[in-house]
Amino acid sequence: MSQSVERALGILPLLAKGPAGLGEVADELGVHKSTALRLLRTLHERGFVYRQADGRYRLGAQLFALAAEAVENLDVREIAHPHLVALNKATGHTIHLALLQDDEVVYIDKVDSRYPVRMYSRIGKPVPLTVAAVAKLLLADLPEGERRSLAARIDYPRYTARSTPDAAAFLRELELVREQGWAADLGGHEESINCVGAPVRGPDGRVVAALSVSAPSVVVTAEGLVELLPLVRGTADAVSRDYSGSQDPQQDQQEEEDS
C-alpha cells in the first residue's frame, strides 16, 4: 500500500474517536506536522474530514454519506448465495438464509437438498419463531428488553414434544444461543426434521441474517447434522466477511505473498 494512502487512512480511526488537532494527528501518524497537514488538506478537499472553527479536525459528511450509501446497497442474499450453494454441495442438505422483519423471521433464500426426501419450505415464508434455528439466532441478538417483550407477546405452539413450551424456556434458549454462537432445532417443529444454524454478522458485529442446514432424520441423524457445525459456522463467517468487506488473516497473508 502507498505510504501516503496508508497514512491518510490512519487519520480516520483517530478522528472517529472525536475531533483532533494537527499535532495529535501528526503524533498518531509519527510524521512531521507539515506532512500531517498535507494529508488533512487532501481529505478536507474530498469532504472526508472537516476543519472546525477551533482548528481541530473531525470526520466529514462525505464519509458518512458514502457509508450510508454502501450499507443501503448491500444485499445480503446476493452476497450469501454462492456460499449457500457451496455449503449445499459440501453437505447435500437443504440450506436456508433468513432475515428478521418486524416480529417475523422470513426465508429469503434456499438451496434444495440433493436427496429424494426433502423439506417443504419456500422463500418468503415466515418460520416458526419459537423452534426454528434461524429464528433463535436472529432473536437472540436483540437487546434484552426487546427479547423479553417479544417472548411475552408471542404464542408457543406445541408442534412436537420437543417444542419450546413457554416464554421462560424460550428466553433461556436464546441466552444459550447468544453464549454458544449457534442454534439448533432438533425435532422441535417436525419430529423427523433437524436443523443447525449460525449467524451472519455485519460490520458492527450485529446479526443481520442467519443461515442453516436442515435434513430429515432418515437422511442424517441429529448427531450427524450437529457434526456439520464447523462447516456451517465457517460458511456464516465467510458470508459475514464478504458482507462487511473484510478478509480473514490467512487471505491477507496469501495476498501479501502473491504480490
Side-chain angles (χ1 to χ4, degrees):
M1 181 185 294
S2 163
Q3 188 177 50
S4 294
V5 172
E6 187 172 5
R7 285 172 173 171
L9 291 175
I11 294 172
L12 302 180
L14 172 64
L15 299 187
K17 299 175 184 177
L22 176 61
E24 294 174 86
V25 174
D27 290 343
E28 176 71 16
L29 300 180
V31 299
H32 193 272
K33 285 185 178 181
S34 60
T35 301
L37 181 59
R38 184 174 68 253
L39 295 170
L40 285 165
R41 282 176 173 169
T42 299
L43 292 172
H44 183 268
E45 289 170 2
R46 298 286 183 174
F48 296 132
V49 305
Y50 177 78
R51 188 173 186 272
Q52 300 180 158
D54 62 5
R56 295 186 300 166
Y57 293 85
R58 60 173 171 81
L59 294 179
Q62 179 64 12
L63 189 63
F64 295 110
L66 286 175
E69 183 177 0
V71 170
E72 183 177 338
N73 289 324
L74 281 177
D75 183 347
V76 69
R77 182 183 184 275
E78 180 180 355
I79 292 168
H81 188 74
H83 296 282
L84 305 187
V85 171
L87 184 58
N88 170 264
K89 288 182 178 179
T91 66
H93 304 310
T94 301
I95 314 298
H96 287 112
L97 183 71
L99 292 180
L100 175 63
Q101 298 178 346
D102 298 322
D103 277 1
E104 289 187 335
V105 172
V106 180
Y107 290 133
I108 62 168
D109 202 0
K110 176 186 179 183
V111 185
D112 275 314
S113 166
R114 64 167 175 254
Y115 297 103
V117 181
R118 297 183 177 182
M119 282 185 59
Y120 174 72
S121 60
R122 69 177 188 271
I123 295 173
K125 180 182 179 182
V127 308
L129 289 181
T130 59
V131 291
V134 289
K136 296 172 190 175
L137 289 161
L138 290 159
L139 299 179
D141 192 61
L142 293 174
E144 183 178 0
E146 292 184 35
R147 292 201 309 274
R148 291 188 174 278
S149 176
L150 183 140
R153 67 177 180 266
I154 62 176
D155 296 324
Y156 294 86
R158 294 306 298 268
Y159 301 106
T160 75
R162 299 175 184 171
S163 298
T164 307
D166 52 40
F170 189 48
L171 288 170
R172 287 195 298 270
E173 187 156 8
L174 294 185
E175 187 59 37
L176 176 61
V177 169
R178 288 174 66 88
E179 292 173 1
Q180 66 188 14
W182 57 274
D185 169 16
L186 304 180
H189 185 221
E190 298 180 54
E191 289 280 3
S192 61
I193 301 292
N194 299 305
C195 176
V196 293
V200 174
R201 299 184 183 275
D204 59 358
R206 297 298 304 274
V207 176
V208 297
L211 64 84
S212 65
V213 174
S214 304
S217 55
V218 295
V219 173
V220 60
T221 64
E223 292 78 9
L225 198 65
V226 172
E227 289 176 0
L228 296 176
L229 260 175
L231 188 57
V232 176
R233 299 183 74 177
T235 300
D237 289 344
V239 177
S240 299
R241 287 193 296 271
D242 282 358
Y243 184 80
S244 301
S246 61
Q247 293 180 325
D248 62 26
Q250 290 184 347
Q251 186 173 351
D252 287 339
Q253 182 178 357
Q254 185 61 50
E255 289 186 353
E256 288 180 6
E257 292 174 356
D258 292 342
S259 62

